[in-house]
Amino acid sequence: MKYRIRIAKQIQYFLVIFILGYCSSVAWASEKKVQPTDFIELAAVMLKDGHSDRALLALQSVDLENKKTDLARFYTLQGLAYMNLNDLEAAKDSLQQAVKNGQEDPAIFIYLAQVYFGLKDYKQTIQAIVKAGDQANKDASLISLKADSYWHLKEADAAINALNEGQKIFPGDFRFLKRKVFYFVELGLYQEATNLGREYLKRSKAAAADYIALGNALRLSREYPEALSILEIARLQFPNDEMIAKLLAHTYLDQGKFNSAAFILEQAALLNPALQAEAAEIYRRAGRFHKALTLNESIGDQKIKLKQRLSILLALKQFERAANMESSLYRTGLLEDQDVRYALAYALFSSGRFPEANKHLDHLKNAELFRKGTELRRLMEVCKTEPWQCT
């Protein structure tokens, strides 16, 4: 009983404390008005924390009719939020409004330049960078943006001058030298591009990707000797880079140098067996059928292996061996390929197995292969009536 009385008294005590506290808080609130939320400041904090969508929601609560509202800051924050959300049109409108409402920080023009460039408005990009003044010369990416804008406007001299300016201000930043190399390639100044490219690759401690980009640019421009020069150096420096090996091989292929291309891919296949099939195919195209057949043995993908093997055996005129592949071709589903079915029919025809050849010719639907099949049937009739012509 005493225990219950003690508990009841404790409850009464806490109720009294709670009521007194509540009353005092009400009295304090009546004496002092609650400060309104500063939504612009709230948006700035959210933007800093990476919550651009929430920042925009906060800005929607700002009273734009209030004369005390800092419109320049409001539109700046709104523009940055839209930039982060990649809504460039909305970002442009907001940042322009910030300038109209008195935003004088040069950074506003840097933001505008980035937005204009994203919208492919290159003239406005350049104008915004100019308005940024000295601030623009402190940012290497902005000078690069300026050069790219001139380039898109087909003002090559101005673009290269901008890159030269960037090199002077940032001698340790090799992006300007690299960009100049590719400009020279596009201008058709291949010798200059190659020389400058070698300088860039040497000075910048370039990665494999840099060699690949330059080598491929020269290759696509059909400047094969220059491309090979760059890629052969890359192959020595990055012997295990598959992309360099493939690009070098295809550069040789572009010039009809099949053996060189096949050898490079054969070496690369030691690290990546998936390249074995491509190496074997190029040896086949080079007429080195036995070499191709040897590499073909190691191909893991059965469909690729069998299809390639069939073409090699036909090239070697080993028709009986090719014809005996029928069950393997059927098992792997390759006979659904009309070209493979015609090749098998031709092997059977060349082996004198006419009924089997006819069976496969019946399945041909492709117009060109059907025409070839009709010619094979005619030859089979000739062989039946005049066998001496088919020996």
Side-chain angles (χ1 to χ4, degrees):
M1 186 70 180
K2 291 181 180 180
Y3 176 76
R4 290 180 180 176
I5 293 171
R6 187 165 63 250
I7 293 295
K9 287 182 177 179
Q10 287 178 349
I11 292 173
Q12 288 176 351
Y13 172 77
F14 284 120
L15 282 173
V16 170
I17 294 296
F18 174 77
I19 292 168
L20 288 173
Y22 175 77
C23 292
S24 63
S25 64
V26 169
W28 177 85
S30 64
E31 291 176 2
K32 188 175 183 180
K33 292 183 179 179
V34 177
Q35 292 294 321
T37 303
D38 188 340
F39 289 105
I40 290 182
E41 190 59 38
L42 181 62
V45 172
M46 289 179 173
L47 201 60
K48 185 178 179 181
D49 291 341
H51 302 298
S52 299
D53 49 349
R54 296 179 189 176
L56 287 175
L57 284 173
L59 290 172
Q60 287 179 8
S61 300
V62 175
D63 182 6
L64 299 181
E65 301 299 323
N66 189 334
K67 293 182 179 180
K68 294 183 179 180
T69 299
D70 187 344
L71 292 177
R73 189 162 188 238
F74 170 84
Y75 284 114
T76 299
L77 292 173
Q78 185 172 261
L80 291 175
Y82 280 128
M83 278 182 72
N84 292 339
L85 295 172
N86 206 34
D87 188 344
L88 298 184
E89 282 290 350
K92 180 188 74 173
D93 294 340
S94 295
L95 294 174
Q96 287 175 339
Q97 282 295 325
V99 174
K100 287 180 181 178
N101 281 278
Q103 181 59 269
E104 296 179 349
D105 189 330
I108 195 73
F109 296 107
I110 294 175
Y111 300 139
L112 273 168
Q114 293 168 344
V115 169
Y116 285 135
F117 189 84
L119 293 170
K120 299 182 179 181
D121 189 341
Y122 303 117
K123 285 186 177 180
Q124 290 280 14
T125 301
I126 294 167
Q127 290 176 14
I129 292 172
V130 170
K131 289 177 181 178
D134 293 336
Q135 192 74 24
N137 292 329
K138 297 177 182 177
D139 189 340
S141 62
L142 209 61
I143 298 174
S144 182
L145 208 66
K146 183 180 178 183
D148 280 347
S149 297
Y150 277 124
W151 185 258
H152 284 296
L153 293 170
K154 302 190 183 303
E155 297 181 31
D157 289 342
I160 292 171
N161 286 336
L163 293 178
N164 290 336
E165 178 187 349
Q167 273 185 273
K168 289 179 183 177
I169 299 173
F170 301 97
D173 192 326
F174 297 105
R175 79 179 76 185
F176 305 106
L177 184 58
K178 181 179 180 180
R179 193 66 57 88
K180 202 188 302 185
V181 171
F182 290 102
Y183 284 177
F184 282 166
V185 170
E186 291 191 47
L187 291 169
L189 302 173
Y190 302 116
Q191 192 59 52
E192 291 85 343
T194 304
N195 294 336
L196 207 60
R198 286 201 183 99
E199 182 187 347
Y200 163 72
L201 295 172
K202 182 179 179 181
R203 289 178 57 195
S204 66
K205 296 180 181 179
D210 295 314
Y211 283 90
I212 290 168
L214 179 56
N216 195 45
L218 291 167
R219 175 193 168 224
L220 294 175
S221 302
R222 299 180 179 275
E223 295 302 312
Y224 301 123
E226 288 80 1
L228 288 173
S229 174
I230 296 294
L231 293 171
E232 286 288 8
I233 295 172
R235 189 177 173 223
L236 290 173
Q237 291 198 23
F238 307 96
N240 296 332
D241 192 287
E242 181 181 321
M243 185 58 69
I244 288 174
K246 290 171 73 173
L247 184 56
L248 181 58
H250 284 281
T251 305
Y252 277 118
L253 270 180
D254 291 339
Q255 299 174 84
K257 297 179 179 180
F258 294 101
N259 283 306
S260 297
F263 177 74
I264 291 168
L265 288 176
E266 183 184 358
Q267 294 297 306
L270 297 174
L271 295 172
N272 181 7
L275 297 174
Q276 196 93 328
E278 191 174 352
E281 178 60 23
I282 296 174
Y283 275 125
R284 185 191 70 80
R285 290 171 61 187
R288 296 181 62 184
F289 303 123
H290 291 287
K291 177 70 173 177
L293 199 58
T294 300
L295 290 181
N296 176 265
E297 291 287 350
S298 304
I299 296 173
D301 189 310
Q302 288 300 299
K303 284 191 173 183
I304 293 175
K305 178 179 181 177
L306 292 173
K307 188 174 181 179
Q308 188 181 80
R309 188 174 187 80
L310 179 62
S311 66
I312 295 170
L313 291 175
L314 288 176
L316 287 167
K317 297 185 179 180
Q318 295 185 14
F319 301 118
E320 194 64 41
R321 289 181 66 186
N324 289 337
M325 291 179 64
E326 181 176 10
S327 60
S328 298
L329 296 172
Y330 178 78
R331 187 178 63 255
T332 53
L334 278 169
L335 289 180
E336 295 177 11
D337 186 322
Q338 295 265 294
D339 291 313
V340 172
R341 192 179 282 276
Y342 173 78
L344 177 61
Y346 184 83
L348 290 164
F349 158 75
S350 300
S351 303
R353 294 154 68 174
F354 298 161
E356 294 173 72
N358 268 311
K359 180 185 69 174
H360 288 291
L361 293 176
D362 289 340
H363 291 274
L364 298 179
K365 306 297 181 186
N366 178 278
E368 179 60 22
L369 293 176
F370 185 82
R371 185 192 65 76
K372 289 182 177 181
T374 302
E375 179 62 19
L376 271 188
R377 292 183 196 276
R378 187 189 69 77
L379 291 173
M380 281 188 272
E381 289 302 317
V382 170
C383 291
K384 288 177 183 179
T385 55
E386 302 173 5
W388 63 88
Q389 291 194 29
C390 298
T391 55

